Amino acid sequence: MTDDALSSQPSDRDDTITQPTLNARGWLRFVWRQLTSMRTALMLLLALAVASLPGSVLPQRSIDAGRTADWLAQHKTVGPILDKLSFFEVFAAPWFAAIYLLLFVSLVGCVLPRSLLHWRAMRARPPRAPKRLERLVAHTTTEIAAPPESVIEAARKVLRGKRFRVHSHDGSSVSSEAGHLKETGNLLFHLALIGVIIGVAVGHIWGWKGDVIVPEGQSFANSVGRYATFAPGPWVDDSTLAPFTLTLHKLDATFEESTKGKGQFGTPRDFTAYVTEADKPGGPAKDTTIKVNHPLSVPGATVFLLGNGYAPKITVRDAKGDVLYSEATPFLARDNNYTSVGAVKVPAAEPKELGFSGLFLPTATIDPHAGPTSVFPQALKPALALTVYEGDLNPGGRPQSVYTLDTASLTQLKDAKKQPLRIWLEPGQTYQLPGGRGSITFDGVTRFAGLSIRHDPGKWLTLASAILALAGLIGSLLIRRRRVFVRVSPSADGSRTLVSVGGLAKDDDDGLPELLDDVVAALHDAIGDKR
Amino acid sequence: MNQNLADYANIALYSSMAVLTLSMLAYAAYLAGLAPSRADAKDARVAAREAVLVGDGGGEVVASGEHPAYEIEQGEPVRARKAAGMARTLGWLATALLVAAVATRGVAVERWPLGNMFEFGTFASMLVLLFYFGLSTRRDLRWLGLFITLPVLLVLGLASTVWYTQASGVMPSLQSYWLVIHVTVATIAASLFGLGAATAGLYLWQVRVEAEGRPSFLNRLPASRTLERFSYSIHIAAFPLWTFAVIAGAIWARQAWGSYWNWDPKEVWSFVIWVVYAAYLHARATSGWSRSRATWVALAGFACIVINFGVVNVYFVSQHSYSGL
Ligand code: HEM
């Protein structure tokens, strides 16, 4: 009996290789056995690790499309090649999928037969005790002043007490075995990994997510049309989204002001959105808050506060003073001090459509090099810095960003010196546009909340599987698989019994000699025999 | 934030580093004292001199050589044994000072002191020392001392200079009890992996020394087989902890960022680390893979941990940008 015999692990030695000719079935068998061997699993694991790395080095389109585009623009030769090879979408790349699918085929092919073996092994009797226990990795002997039958009886009791499964194949030996849960844990771990993958897949197929910007004072009713971006899984029926509504009353933001250290001053400290939520339009409404780390759960979705920024209230009037545009207009922060970019589009303007674009600066300053910027994220000295365009705001009706102007069919207004007309507005100020084009007023500052609303029906399966995997792993790593054998024979004069105890373990097991000593001591105790 | 208290924390940190340096020198003296025949009179004199120098630093240091839990190896030179005793006492002192530094920092910043790279580095160093000296009370690990104190000093040196971050609050996404759970367990796992890597490295070295049969201080260290088993047992404690940390991180990621897995660079590397250590456990169980080859995989795993901390935190664009740099 060797260590190997205690393992139910399929052998890696492949005897089919030596066959001179292989028919199609033989080949299939050969490939299958290769695929489900430990060595292949190991190689696939290492391959998976290596294949993940480009995903952390190169920008990934699904995480940051802007940075990916920049990278492609800067690397004109390798960029397109890498792009063809899916290097900007590594975790959705066919070669990445190939590795993990192979790994999971291998996993199933390995674990299912093993489960079967294990099922049988769990119900099988412990094997017959070897003739010479002193050949086992751990061995000890003792003498007990009692007849062999009572020693056998005591040994059975002692080993059962240590939670061994016990069987006597003959009158002079006891075989016992413990730690089947180690293999159970190992199988549970591997099977649960499949559960994790299925949970992730369910989330991809039936889950959806959408992002929306809601200025203070405005409402949001959940429907696809309201989202700035909406990403449904392939089998999502987007007419059946949870019909909840939200109203944002106020968004509080605080930033570090006391610590002046590098990398600290001005960093965010708290964001809180005060909202009223109703599960369906007209349904009972309740006041609540959404914070980072404290999302709001509504039936069928979860609402996360992932972004925020400023939505200065801007009013545009025509020459007669009639209001053409009056809205809290979100500007997107472009740095940590909320230097924000945005646009105001006034299609109702006469004679030509008007567009304003530029910056909102919560704490405005004019940097000699960088121009207008903000030096602190809080609205301490807010200002708008805008330029003006007129013409066709939406040539060809192409879809376009709300935050920038498509200047293809627009012309910029110039001042007397033929320089682009620059407007600088602080709250309450109005600027009269030249040539009777009307005026623009900066009424005041409000904030907006960037909400991300998501539904993932697979997350509980993933979580439960992950926890099972962890439990299985702990069992598999910490439980010891051992066999203990006891052999008895009468001493020469027949007054005492010679007891030989041997132990075997799967893998190295430093505790084995100690276990045998325990067994011997317990035997003496059980018989009431002092050594 | 209490800047005064943070200053005291830094004083404790510097003191700990000073004492740990002495401990490291004493461990070096211990190993030098173990060196076999080749360790001629000159080496022994150096070892003795260093031991004496170190001994001058603390009053009751010498007494610890007679600590009851201390097994005296047969044939171990007395000087080496004394050096190791001092190293141990100084090491405990350094550890206590480091615990004080971390605790004081925590009080100063009014939150769990794991919010940036400086705090992560000191916390992990503290854990490594606690694990090492804690395990030393149960078995003789004096041979490992130098290989623990040296890297820990390196990390503390980096933490107190390059990674230093003023005491301060943390951004909203980090204000969660998951910080305490996820980052603490990840730090514990990483510290254990560090301990495992130190032993793994010694094991591979020992394998070579044994194969070549040349005289070396390693001859006095445990045999390669023992080193390998010790390294493995540390790794199998660390691996489930890392698994837990990744799962906890995913739960937290969903709360803070809305999705439990985003393939953010930090997540990619956590995954890679997990897969590489899983490969190590597989390699060790694969027939046809030698133990030493499997151990190289474990060292690759630790290299990934170092990269994840030292490189990904600082240079990669990530949602996890909280290095404070
Ligand atoms: C998704 C990929 C996989 C991961 C993350 C993984 C992870 C692990 C881990 C962490 C262990 C250590 C537990 C222990 O030692 O008892 C382990 C053990 C084991 N794995 Fe995997 N595994 C994967 C795929 C596979 C595949 C494809 C096979 C079959 C070819 C396999 C067969 C085994 C076996 C037989 C053991 C037990 C080793 C022993 O007897 O000690 N695993 N696996």
Side-chain angles (χ1 to χ4, degrees):
Chain A
M1 170 126 345
T2 64
D3 266 17
D4 254 47
L6 195 52
S7 158
S8 48
Q9 174 190 323
S11 161
D12 262 346
R13 262 160 267 138
D14 206 331
D15 20 29
T16 53
I17 309 176
T18 51
Q19 286 180 3
T21 52
L22 287 172
N23 55 16
R25 258 186 70 191
W27 267 108
L28 266 172
R29 258 173 60 109
F30 170 70
V31 170
W32 179 249
R33 292 190 67 179
Q34 286 301 312
L35 185 60
T36 57
S37 78
M38 275 291 265
R39 202 173 303 133
T40 310
L42 176 58
M43 287 306 156
L44 287 171
L45 274 171
L46 290 173
L48 189 67
V50 173
S52 311
L53 295 183
S56 76
V57 178
L58 295 170
Q60 297 292 294
R61 199 165 271 131
S62 59
I63 299 173
D64 194 339
R67 230 163 53 79
T68 310
D70 288 351
W71 203 95
L72 279 171
Q74 282 162 19
H75 301 81
K76 288 260 187 294
T77 34
V78 282
I81 301 172
L82 290 178
D83 200 11
K84 271 237 168 58
L85 297 173
S86 306
F87 271 86
F88 301 100
E89 211 52 277
V90 165
F91 302 101
W95 42 269
F96 191 78
I99 296 174
Y100 73 75
L101 288 177
L102 272 179
L103 188 55
F104 276 86
V105 171
S106 168
L107 187 64
V108 172
C110 177
V111 167
L112 287 187
R114 244 178 102 121
S115 302
L116 214 70
L117 276 178
H118 181 54
W119 176 249
R120 291 205 201 106
M122 279 216 300
R123 294 180 314 159
R125 293 199 206 109
R128 192 172 285 278
K131 280 262 149 39
R132 303 172 59 185
L133 295 185
E134 61 274 18
R135 289 224 181 134
L136 301 186
V137 282
H139 175 249
T140 182
T141 55
T142 188
E143 272 186 37
I144 298 181
E149 308 81 66
S150 1
V151 174
I152 291 281
E153 212 29 65
R156 294 177 63 106
K157 224 166 69 212
V158 163
L159 288 165
R160 270 210 203 93
K162 291 191 177 297
R163 324 212 27 208
F164 275 70
R165 290 188 309 135
V166 178
H167 184 76
S168 291
H169 290 270
D170 53 47
S172 62
S173 74
V174 178
S175 305
S176 72
E177 211 169 10
H180 275 101
L181 276 179
K182 181 186 184 71
E183 179 71 358
T184 312
N186 186 29
L187 294 171
L188 175 66
F189 167 75
H190 286 87
L191 289 171
L193 290 183
I194 300 172
V196 172
I197 288 284
I198 295 175
V200 171
V202 167
H204 273 290
I205 294 172
W206 286 285
W208 52 264
K209 64 179 185 182
D211 298 323
V212 61
I213 280 182
V214 184
E216 286 172 328
Q218 294 192 17
S219 295
F220 166 78
N222 190 27
S223 66
V224 174
R226 274 291 268 127
Y227 285 105
T229 59
F230 184 74
W235 294 353
V236 169
D237 176 0
D238 53 21
S239 64
T240 61
L241 299 189
F244 67 92
T245 64
L246 272 182
T247 305
L248 178 69
H249 302 295
K250 187 167 163 41
L251 187 111
D252 265 356
T254 53
F255 299 89
E256 181 68 53
E257 296 185 21
S258 55
T259 308
K260 304 279 190 263
K262 145 188 102 154
Q264 298 289 343
F265 185 66
T267 52
R269 287 296 175 249
D270 182 59
F271 300 127
T272 305
Y274 296 87
V275 299
T276 301
E277 186 266 335
D279 290 352
K280 52 178 181 285
K286 63 173 191 298
D287 291 338
T288 178
T289 59
I290 309 174
K291 288 164 77 90
V292 181
N293 272 313
H294 299 277
L296 172 68
S297 286
V298 299
T302 312
V303 185
F304 299 89
L305 176 63
L306 291 196
N308 65 78
Y310 290 96
K313 189 149 186 298
I314 295 168
T315 301
V316 179
R317 295 184 173 81
D318 64 14
K320 294 194 298 269
D322 290 342
V323 172
L324 301 175
Y325 176 100
S326 181
E327 270 177 45
T329 311
F331 278 57
L332 293 187
R334 150 186 107 171
D335 63 25
N336 291 337
N337 286 324
Y338 286 69
T339 300
S340 311
V341 292
V344 176
K345 302 182 184 182
V346 194
E350 298 277 350
K352 288 183 183 160
E353 298 181 346
L354 275 182
F356 301 82
S357 86
L359 301 172
F360 170 78
L361 312 163
T363 299
T365 183
I366 297 191
D367 185 277
H369 305 293
T373 48
S374 172
V375 291
F376 192 70
Q378 219 54 285
L380 302 180
K381 187 175 172 293
L384 275 170
L386 301 173
T387 56
V388 198
Y389 293 82
E390 64 179 1
D392 187 359
L393 282 172
N394 197 2
R398 288 192 295 270
Q400 49 167 274
S401 161
V402 205
Y403 307 101
T404 52
L405 292 180
D406 178 351
T407 53
S409 306
L410 294 173
T411 45
Q412 197 167 25
L413 296 192
K414 301 276 166 57
D415 63 12
K417 287 188 232 133
K418 298 272 176 276
Q419 290 299 310
L421 188 65
R422 293 188 186 283
I423 303 175
W424 184 269
L425 287 174
E426 292 176 14
Q429 294 181 342
T430 297
Y431 183 88
Q432 295 293 336
L433 296 168
R437 290 179 178 92
S439 67
I440 177 166
T441 306
F442 179 8
D443 299 308
V445 182
T446 64
R447 292 185 194 264
F448 70 80
L451 299 178
S452 185
I453 299 163
R454 301 176 180 217
H455 173 59
D456 180 353
K459 63 174 187 278
W460 293 114
L461 178 57
T462 308
L463 181 61
S465 306
I467 291 172
L468 281 179
L470 179 59
L473 183 65
I474 291 172
S476 134
L477 291 176
L478 301 189
I479 294 174
R480 300 219 179 261
R481 180 110 153 75
R482 290 161 162 170
R483 281 180 187 158
V484 172
F485 303 101
V486 179
R487 266 194 185 287
V488 296
S489 54
S491 63
D493 63 0
S495 67
R496 301 168 75 78
T497 302
L498 301 176
V499 185
S500 176
V501 185
L504 260 185
K506 184 173 176 179
D507 208 0
D508 306 317
D509 188 344
D510 292 333
L512 205 52
E514 203 177 311
L515 171 74
L516 297 193
D517 290 344
D518 275 3
V519 169
V520 167
L523 268 178
H524 281 278
D525 280 353
I527 293 192
D529 171 63
K530 296 230 166 42
R531 260 186 290 182
Chain B
M1 299 308 115
N2 187 332
Q3 297 300 347
N4 256 344
L5 216 50
D7 291 341
Y8 285 125
N10 290 343
I11 292 172
L13 171 63
Y14 298 142
S15 320
S16 169
M17 287 169 66
V19 179
L20 194 61
T21 310
L22 297 179
S23 168
M24 177 190 77
L25 290 174
Y27 274 124
Y30 167 67
L31 288 185
L34 282 190
S37 51
R38 206 165 41 95
D40 50 13
K42 182 162 152 271
D43 275 9
R45 251 184 286 122
V46 172
R49 199 164 352 105
E50 276 178 357
V52 169
L53 268 176
V54 169
D56 286 345
E60 62 304 279
V61 163
V62 185
S64 81
E66 281 97 45
H67 192 284
Y70 215 75
E71 287 168 41
I72 297 164
E73 290 273 323
Q74 285 248 306
E76 194 171 83
V78 177
R79 281 189 179 131
R81 179 159 51 83
K82 283 202 170 148
M86 282 177 222
R88 198 172 113 112
T89 311
L90 289 166
W92 270 118
L93 181 60
T95 311
L97 282 166
L98 198 52
V99 171
V102 168
T104 313
R105 171 83 177 189
V107 175
V109 296
E110 297 156 24
R111 57 173 170 78
W112 196 248
L114 272 176
N116 50 52
M117 284 180 70
F118 163 70
E119 292 170 0
F120 195 95
T122 40
F123 202 104
S125 302
M126 173 189 82
L127 287 174
V128 170
L129 292 182
L130 280 174
F131 287 137
Y132 170 68
F133 288 109
L135 279 175
S136 311
T137 60
R138 291 154 134 260
R139 46 158 114 197
D140 181 3
L141 294 180
R142 293 172 299 173
W143 47 271
L144 191 54
L146 177 62
F147 307 97
I148 295 299
T149 49
L150 180 69
V152 163
L153 266 174
L154 200 72
V155 170
L156 286 177
L158 281 170
S160 57
T161 53
V162 188
W163 301 331
Y164 185 71
T165 311
Q166 219 186 336
S168 170
V170 288
M171 56 195 184
S173 57
L174 294 185
Q175 296 166 16
S176 164
Y177 56 87
W178 285 105
L179 174 90
V180 180
I181 301 171
H182 164 70
V183 189
T184 308
V185 177
T187 315
I188 293 174
S191 312
L192 284 173
F193 278 134
L195 212 58
T199 331
L202 272 180
Y203 158 69
L204 290 171
W205 192 358
Q206 181 74 297
V207 167
R208 188 168 295 176
V209 167
E210 281 173 3
E212 294 170 3
R214 64 184 149 93
S216 154
F217 72 93
L218 284 152
N219 301 152
R220 299 277 186 121
L221 264 52
S224 62
R225 194 176 148 77
T226 313
L227 289 176
E228 199 275 342
R229 270 200 239 175
F230 183 54
S231 157
Y232 174 69
S233 53
I234 296 174
H235 281 104
I236 62 173
F239 187 72
L241 286 167
W242 187 263
T243 309
F244 175 84
V246 172
I247 296 173
I251 297 173
W252 183 16
R254 199 198 88 95
Q255 284 204 358
W257 303 323
S259 160
Y260 60 77
W261 202 269
N262 260 332
W263 293 112
D264 175 273
K266 203 70 191 276
E267 289 172 348
V268 173
W269 280 87
S270 304
F271 173 74
V272 168
I273 290 165
W274 187 78
V275 169
V276 171
Y277 278 111
Y280 161 63
L281 296 179
H282 267 213
R284 205 170 170 280
T286 303
S287 50
W289 267 63
S290 67
R291 295 262 153 113
S292 53
R293 222 154 127 213
T295 304
W296 281 108
V297 179
L299 283 182
F302 192 67
C304 292
I305 290 189
V306 171
I307 292 172
N308 191 23
F309 183 66
V311 180
V312 179
N313 272 350
V314 185
Y315 298 105
F316 284 38
V317 179
S318 148
Q319 278 181 303
H320 277 87
S321 304
Y322 50 72
S323 61
L325 300 182

